[in-house]
Amino acid sequence: MTYNDSFIRACRKQDVDRLPVWYMRQAGRYDPDYRKIKENYSLLEICLQPELAAEVTMMPVRKLGVDAAILYSDIMNPVASIGIDFDIVKNIGPVIANPIRSAADIERLRPIQVEQDLSHILETIQILDKELEVPLITFAGAPFTIASYLIEGRPSKNYIRTKTMMYSEPELWHSLMRKLGDMVATYLRAHVQYGGKAFQLFDSWVGALSPRDFKTYVLPTIQYIFDQLQDLDVPKIYFPGVSSGELLPELRQLPVDVIGIDWRVSLAEARKRLDYKYAVQGNLDPYLLTGPSSLIHEQAKLIIDEGLQDPGYIFNLGHGLFPEASIDKLKELTDYVHEYSAEVLRQRITSK
């Protein structure tokens, strides 16, 4: 069995023969076979069946030829272990039965018990560790993004309850952040212990904050999480989500390997804002996949050329795949990134 480690190498700014590719939400509703599975099982029901969750995780590796798998799970899964009752409601997202609104609500949150309450997720990771020929990326939702669901009670566009707690009751806010930070660090450590080869912390909605508010109310907990996990010898990725380009200069002290970039800031500018300290990942606008192949290739080429300007680049989207994406275009894009980047890198070697 040949193990493809190009993703790991790129995370560590090592040489690769071609750019590694993976996509956020790559195991999802754009795949007709996955849609058939969803006719019989909900997302949470799939997660509870390790063999099925592992199979869904492996689908895009087989079909698209991507260089890493990402665990089929949901960022809300660990909160069930700390005392939050939730459901994933179709066309809405996470809906919380008992939202966090007071000090008493935060006080009742218990420490996460990963092996006790989330053994199905750990079993899925173990299966994938044996079956995959590419690295398995596991993940967690970052505290701000998780808190936004817990406080609002469901997805929000303006985060009014979240920001109200943040601004009006900062001690309460930081208390919640500490509990969620411990939850995330414990959860991700277990992933690595059971076979995860890298992990990504998703902070999908933190771009809703100003740099000053991010630095004050969120960054200390992000720093804490990665400090707690610094001893783990796997690539660590922080994705600050959409509209987060203005936050990038605040990330320069994080002990991570890779920063995910959304499509609103160029890779060159992102690297500059990060002081060239990290590998970068991204950042094609996922909705470009609605366009013709010629446009997709043209835009991908621009991003690849920019990504190859410095060591440490992983091709990805600037956010997750959407359900209407074409699996054929996605396969074509993956092949194009591999072929074009391999040719550029070959030419560099022969020209030396």
Side-chain angles (χ1 to χ4, degrees), residues 51 62 65 75 98 123 138 148 157 185 193 211 216 241 312 332 344:
E51 293 283 352
R62 296 180 185 134
I75 64 169
N98 49 339
E123 188 178 337
T138 71
S148 74
K157 291 183 178 178
Q193 290 170 340
T216 302
E332 187 182 321
V344 172

Side-chain angles (χ1 to χ4, degrees), residues 76-86 110 112 117-118 183:
M76 297 301 291
N77 273 325
V79 304
S81 180
I82 67 171
I84 297 293
D85 184 12
F86 73 95
R110 56 184 181 263
I112 189 171
D117 298 333
L118 302 165
M183 178 194 79

Side-chain angles (χ1 to χ4, degrees), residues 48-112:
L48 287 167
Q49 301 178 66
E51 293 283 352
L52 185 56
E55 177 59 29
V56 173
T57 301
M58 291 187 284
M59 280 181 181
V61 179
R62 296 180 185 134
K63 294 184 180 188
L64 304 177
V66 289
D67 300 286
I70 184 161
L71 179 69
Y72 182 82
S73 187
D74 189 86
I75 64 169
M76 297 301 291
N77 273 325
V79 304
S81 180
I82 67 171
I84 297 293
D85 184 12
F86 73 95
D87 194 12
I88 308 294
V89 178
K90 187 176 181 180
N91 299 324
I92 296 176
V95 175
I96 312 301
N98 49 339
I100 300 292
R101 302 282 166 77
S102 68
D105 293 333
I106 296 173
E107 186 63 30
R108 67 177 163 78
L109 297 178
R110 56 184 181 263
I112 189 171

Side-chain angles (χ1 to χ4, degrees), residues 145-206:
T145 293
I146 295 290
S148 74
Y149 292 124
L150 301 188
I151 297 168
E152 305 289 338
R154 59 179 53 213
S156 171
K157 291 183 178 178
N158 54 31
Y159 309 101
I160 186 166
R161 288 183 181 271
T162 305
K163 290 188 175 185
T164 297
M165 181 186 290
M166 212 170 64
Y167 296 140
S168 302
E169 300 179 273
E171 289 186 10
L172 201 62
W173 171 261
H174 287 299
S175 171
L176 178 58
M177 288 291 100
R178 281 193 295 274
K179 289 207 171 192
L180 295 178
D182 284 330
M183 178 194 79
V184 168
T186 304
Y187 184 57
L188 289 173
R189 181 173 291 279
H191 288 182
V192 175
Q193 290 170 340
Y194 277 77
K197 296 298 184 282
F199 61 79
Q200 176 160 309
L201 187 63
F202 281 88
D203 219 346
S204 304
W205 314 130
V206 80

Side-chain angles (χ1 to χ4, degrees), residues 218-228 250-251 253-255:
V218 175
L219 184 57
T221 307
I222 301 300
Q223 182 78 42
Y224 170 79
I225 291 167
F226 285 113
D227 283 345
Q228 291 295 302
E250 306 300 334
L251 308 182
Q253 301 306 314
L254 286 182

Side-chain angles (χ1 to χ4, degrees), residues 233-254:
D233 187 24
V234 298
K236 304 165 185 69
I237 308 169
Y238 180 55
F239 177 53
V242 294
S243 303
S244 57
E246 298 303 315
L247 305 183
L248 296 178
E250 306 300 334
L251 308 182
R252 292 176 180 174
Q253 301 306 314
L254 286 182

